[in-house]
């Protein structure tokens, strides 16, 4: 029997009411210490009420001194757990599951200098691993169903695994296996210290630059992460915000890689990128082994899009991928329905 968009599905122990995922989307509204307020609770309540089966929260830094950009949510300190417990409760109350996207924008030493992978000591690499594992433990304490390790979009872990950035000659550089070691050790650490927590990762299918991670190596990277213990992989890329995508034009631009990956790994693959219509979504489900479909900008335009799609009121999103949302406060659509 074929897969349907709006059917209950079990993926790696996570029970979802449908196959639609809110892909992590930047809001930039947290306090400097990573604390969140009523605006954030309202945004996530609206998203969960809109009908997705799974919500992945926006970029949540694992470090207190990460200054890659302002307004980051954080899970670097135990005192933040009650705020995130409330966030989880808000989402669960609407019948959606939720993952915390754990990320690091950049590695900063105590003197404030940002340091790239080549210049880091082994102890500093282990410190980053510790940050991710500790943040995952806090996520579990807050009641999150799982976490997503952010290895995409050229943030810290994405740069670390990229041959365009990482030129180390020790056990953390050189081969794909060595450059992936930091992420594999993070995944294994989460598995050991937060047993039962669902663990996903977001990975570039390509860095889309000379000398960067290409699709062949991305496939190897993903398999290494699966072997380390992942429950699923969300396929993205370094150029995620393709302009001008709309229903019937340019949809599902990472689907070819996601389809290949899904045919070669035994964990669910999540496809994000340019999904705008029921037809394109169902075609992906019918023609590939991809299990889940992730949306970002269509939910900025209309958080109720999943419910309206499920009810048959609409067959496509009116989002035209103008990318104007990137220049607004809270990453809101300028033309919101």
């Amino acid at each position: 029997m074929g897969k349907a968009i709006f059917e209950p599905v079990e993926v790696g122990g996570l029970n979802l009411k449908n196959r639609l995922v809110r892909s992590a989307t930047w809001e930039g509204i947290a306090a400097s210490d990573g604390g969140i307020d009523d605006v954030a609770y309202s945004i996530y309540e609206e998203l969960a009420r809109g009908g997705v089966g799974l919500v992945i929260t926006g970029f949540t830094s694992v470090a207190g001194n990460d200054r890659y950009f302002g307004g980051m949510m954080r899970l670097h300190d135990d005192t933040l757990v009650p705020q995130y417990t409330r966030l989880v409760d808000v989402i669960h109350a609407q019948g959606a599951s939720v993952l915390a996207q754990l990320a690091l924008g950049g590695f900063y030493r105590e003197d404030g200098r940002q340091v790239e992978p080549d210049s880091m000591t082994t102890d500093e690499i282990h410190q980053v691993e510790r940050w991710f594992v500790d943040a995952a433990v806090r996520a579990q304490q807050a009641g999150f169903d799982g976490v997503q390790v952010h290895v995409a979009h050229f943030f810290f872990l994405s740069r670390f695994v990229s041959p365009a950035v990482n030129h180390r000659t020790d056990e953390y550089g050189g081969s794909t296996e060595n450059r992936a070691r930091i992420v594999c050790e993070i995944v294994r650490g989460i598995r050991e210290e937060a047993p039962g927590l669902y663990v996903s990762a977001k990975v570039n299918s390509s860095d889309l630059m000379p000398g960067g991670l290409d699709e062949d190596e991305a496939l190897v990277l993903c398999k290494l992460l699966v072997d380390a213990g992942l429950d699923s992989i969300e396929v993205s890329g370094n150029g995620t915000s393709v302009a001008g995508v709309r229903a019937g034009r340019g949809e599902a631009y990472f689907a070819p890689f996601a389809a290949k990956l899904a045919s070669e790994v035994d964990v669910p693959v999540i496809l994000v990128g340019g999904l705008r219509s029921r037809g394109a979504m169902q075609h992906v489900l019918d023609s590939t082994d991809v299990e889940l479909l992730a949306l970002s900008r269509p939910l900025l335009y209309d958080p109720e899009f999943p419910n309206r799609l499920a009810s048959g009121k609409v067959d496509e999103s009116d989002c035209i991928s103008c990318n104007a949302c990137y220049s607004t406060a809270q990453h809101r659509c300028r033309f919101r329905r």
Side-chain angles (χ1 to χ4, degrees):
M1 183 179 294
K3 294 170 287 186
I5 300 170
F6 295 101
E7 65 178 353
V9 60
E10 186 273 330
V11 286
L14 197 63
N15 293 302
L16 307 178
K17 63 183 179 183
N18 59 49
R19 295 182 185 274
L20 294 184
V21 178
R22 186 271 191 162
S23 190
T25 303
W26 174 246
E27 292 108 13
I29 57 175
S32 60
D33 68 351
I36 50 180
D37 59 17
D38 287 343
V39 174
Y41 297 126
S42 176
I43 288 172
Y44 280 97
E45 181 178 27
E46 184 179 53
L47 284 165
R49 189 173 62 243
V52 293
L54 174 64
V55 172
I56 305 178
T57 62
F59 190 109
T60 304
S61 183
V62 299
N65 70 343
D66 185 2
R67 295 188 300 279
Y68 202 73
F69 32 53
M72 289 183 285
M73 295 193 292
R74 302 178 193 266
L75 270 172
H76 72 291
D77 191 280
D78 291 346
T79 61
L80 293 166
V81 170
Q83 296 180 52
Y84 288 88
T85 299
R86 179 183 169 190
L87 182 66
V88 169
D89 290 344
V90 163
I91 295 169
H92 280 167
Q94 300 298 326
S97 298
V98 57
L99 307 184
Q101 186 188 71
L102 302 184
L104 186 65
F107 178 79
Y108 295 84
R109 288 187 174 141
E110 291 184 3
D111 61 8
R113 288 183 300 140
Q114 184 180 356
V115 180
E116 291 295 342
D118 286 359
S119 301
M120 293 175 69
T121 67
T122 302
D123 285 345
E124 288 172 334
I125 292 171
H126 292 164
Q127 181 180 42
V128 168
E129 294 174 352
R130 184 76 257 161
W131 286 343
F132 272 90
V133 174
D134 287 348
V137 170
R138 294 186 188 100
Q140 187 175 53
Q141 292 170 348
F144 282 92
D145 300 291
V147 296
Q148 181 185 72
V149 181
H150 198 347
V151 198
H153 303 170
F154 240 45
F155 296 121
F156 176 80
L157 289 179
S158 178
R159 296 200 303 278
F160 201 103
V161 302
S162 175
V165 176
N166 184 341
H167 309 104
R168 299 178 67 95
T169 57
D170 63 359
E171 68 271 29
Y172 289 95
S175 67
T176 309
E177 182 176 9
N178 282 354
R179 282 182 279 111
R181 189 181 305 276
I182 184 173
V183 189
C184 291
E185 290 178 346
I186 287 168
V187 173
R188 293 189 189 103
I190 294 172
R191 280 280 176 238
E192 180 177 347
E193 299 192 31
L197 197 66
Y198 185 94
V199 186
S200 187
K202 190 169 193 170
V203 179
N204 280 352
S205 56
S206 172
D207 288 342
L208 301 173
M209 64 174 62
L213 195 74
D214 61 18
E215 291 192 357
D216 288 340
E217 190 175 18
L219 193 64
V220 175
L221 169 66
C222 289
K223 291 177 179 179
L224 289 168
L225 299 185
V226 169
D227 289 344
L230 282 186
D231 289 306
S232 67
I233 297 176
E234 183 179 10
V235 170
S236 188
N238 230 20
T240 61
S241 302
V242 175
V245 176
R246 60 194 67 189
R249 192 172 86 187
E251 292 188 76
Y253 38 81
F254 295 126
F257 178 85
K260 183 173 178 58
L261 175 64
S263 71
E264 297 188 21
V265 296
D266 59 1
V267 301
V269 170
I270 308 168
L271 173 65
V272 72
L275 292 167
R276 297 291 182 271
S277 67
R278 183 194 306 273
M281 295 179 200
Q282 192 60 55
H283 176 71
V284 169
L285 294 179
D286 289 344
S287 61
T288 77
D289 292 324
V290 169
E291 291 283 351
L292 301 176
L293 307 167
L295 306 171
S296 176
R297 286 176 291 173
L299 300 181
L300 295 176
Y301 179 79
D302 180 12
E304 280 284 324
F305 176 56
N307 282 339
R308 293 179 351 108
L309 193 66
S311 68
K313 291 180 179 179
V314 299
D315 284 319
E316 59 189 46
S317 170
D318 289 330
C319 174
I320 59 172
S321 305
C322 66
N323 291 342
C325 52
Y326 287 98
S327 61
T328 65
Q330 302 172 19
H331 209 154
R332 294 282 187 146
C333 178
R334 289 185 181 274
F335 312 103
R336 184 168 173 170
R337 185 178 182 279

